[in-house]
């Protein structure tokens, strides 16, 4: 997967999917909102799209049920068919196997994996990396799917690694790109964390949270791209619909508006 330098990867946060506690009973609404938001991102120049089952709180820690995989595959395929840019998949909270399978079935180009190696403590309990299985599955399926792996993933406490640089070192060779985030969704990613990550990998490093027009100048020199979710939403809240004006404002901050 080849993305331009300073790529903007826009998150499509799906409405709650069938089987999740907040599912509203209308599958068509999930498709319609996802495709509508994809259209906005494409119109405003996003370089890639990332489909996430963000409405499925509380998340399964690892494997998700069949209905979630089916819904993710269906929506992702429609987005791929309507898009001129690479599309990725993240199956929350940490089902890398489902993400790879959905990507293959839908024709997506990359996946995001929250915990690819090591282990963390999170709201869902212990999340453990399964890179040994994920990479074998990718090979078995002959999947042309890049793996972008979080290091120091947000909403968690590290359990296996003493520092970010050590985790990035171990992820090098297991992932095609590294994602560095702030402590929580919407919190700014520290420039020093990006610098530490870059010192341990030759692959691309992406900002995974908290980037806005106000702070992008502090991190752009240390990152190859930006994964943007909540900032693009009405009032900056992840559960809200996309606000096209905020997308335009961010693109202008990168000199692309």
């Amino acid at each position: 997967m080849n993305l331009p330098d300073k790529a903007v990867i826009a998150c499509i946060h799906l409405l709650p999917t069938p089987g999740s506690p907040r599912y509203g009973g209308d599958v068509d609404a999930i498709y319609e909102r996802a495709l509508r938001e994809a259209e906005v991102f494409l119109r405003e120049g996003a370089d890639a799209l990332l489909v996430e089952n963000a409405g499925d709180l509380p998340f399964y820690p690892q494997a998700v049920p069949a209905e979630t995989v089916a819904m993710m595959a269906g929506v992702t395929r429609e987005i791929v068919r309507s898009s001129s840019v690479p599309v990725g998949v993240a199956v929350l909270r940490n089902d890398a196997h489902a993400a790879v399978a959905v990507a293959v079935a839908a024709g997506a180009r990359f996946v995001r994996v929250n915990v690819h190696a090591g282990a963390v403590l999170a709201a869902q309990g212990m999340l453990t990396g399964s890179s040994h299985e994920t990479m074998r599955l990718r090979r078995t399926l002959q999947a042309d799917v890049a793996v972008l792996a979080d290091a120091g993933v947000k909403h968690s406490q590290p359990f296996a690694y003493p520092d970010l640089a050590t985790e990035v070192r171990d992820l090098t060779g297991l992932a095609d790109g590294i994602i560095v985030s702030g402590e929580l969704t919407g919190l700014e990613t520290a420039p020093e964390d990006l610098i530490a990550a870059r010192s341990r990998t030759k692959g691309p490093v992406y900002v995974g949270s908290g980037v806005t027009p106000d702070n992008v100048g502090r991190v752009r020199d240390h990152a190859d791209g930006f994964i943007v979710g909540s900032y693009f939403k009405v009032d900056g809240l992840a559960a809200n619909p996309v606000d096209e004006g905020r997308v335009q404002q961010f693109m202008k901050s990168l000199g692309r508006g």
Side-chain angles (χ1 to χ4, degrees), residues 22 32 53 61 78 103 191:
R22 300 178 187 179
E32 290 167 4
N53 57 319
E78 290 301 310

Side-chain angles (χ1 to χ4, degrees), residues 2 4 15 18 24 26 43 70 81 103 112-113 119 124 143 166 171 203 229 241:
N2 293 318
L15 292 170
D26 187 351
R43 183 163 61 243
R81 287 167 60 89
R112 179 179 186 174
V113 182
Q124 298 79 25
T166 303
L171 286 170

Side-chain angles (χ1 to χ4, degrees), residues 62-83:
Q62 299 283 158
V64 302
E67 59 267 24
T68 304
V69 178
M71 189 76 237
M72 291 287 291
V75 175
T76 302
R77 180 58 180 166
E78 290 301 310
I79 293 171
V80 168
R81 287 167 60 89
S82 69
S83 298

Side-chain angles (χ1 to χ4, degrees), residues 52-243:
E52 301 181 338
N53 57 319
D56 286 354
L57 292 163
F59 299 124
Y60 284 91
Q62 299 283 158
V64 302
E67 59 267 24
T68 304
V69 178
M71 189 76 237
M72 291 287 291
V75 175
T76 302
R77 180 58 180 166
E78 290 301 310
I79 293 171
V80 168
R81 287 167 60 89
S82 69
S83 298
S84 55
V85 300
V87 176
V89 180
V91 180
L92 304 171
R93 179 79 198 307
N94 198 46
D95 195 341
H97 303 167
V100 170
V102 167
V104 171
R109 299 288 304 281
F110 66 98
V111 298
R112 179 179 186 174
V113 182
N114 280 179
V115 183
H116 193 45
V120 303
L121 290 173
Q124 298 79 25
M126 184 73 73
L127 305 180
T128 59
S130 57
S131 56
H132 57 293
E133 295 178 343
T134 301
M135 305 310 283
R136 284 172 171 80
L137 176 63
R138 184 172 75 166
R139 184 63 174 266
T140 297
L141 298 180
Q142 299 183 25
D144 184 17
V145 174
V147 173
L148 306 185
D150 279 271
V153 67
K154 57 189 177 181
H155 297 282
S156 72
Q157 292 295 320
F159 187 76
Y161 288 107
D163 54 61
L164 182 74
T166 303
E167 183 175 1
V168 173
R169 180 201 65 192
D170 282 5
L171 286 170
T172 299
L174 298 178
D176 304 291
I178 302 296
I179 301 169
V180 180
S181 301
E183 184 178 353
L184 301 172
T185 295
L187 292 189
E188 183 177 351
T189 301
E192 55 267 28
D193 287 344
L194 293 166
I195 293 170
R198 188 171 292 286
S199 72
R200 292 301 185 100
T201 181
K202 294 182 180 179
V205 175
Y206 299 97
V207 174
S209 74
V211 66
T212 71
D214 293 331
N215 64 35
V216 68
R218 291 194 288 273
V219 296
R220 66 176 298 160
D221 289 344
H222 311 299
D224 296 288
F226 316 96
I227 299 175
V228 188
S230 57
Y231 177 77
F232 284 159
K233 304 301 188 70
V234 173
D235 297 326
L237 299 176
N240 287 345
V242 166
D243 181 338

Side-chain angles (χ1 to χ4, degrees), residues 32-44:
E32 290 167 4
R33 177 160 154 174
L35 288 167
R36 185 167 59 250
E37 295 190 348
E39 182 180 354
V40 170
F41 291 140
L42 292 171
R43 183 163 61 243
E44 298 302 334

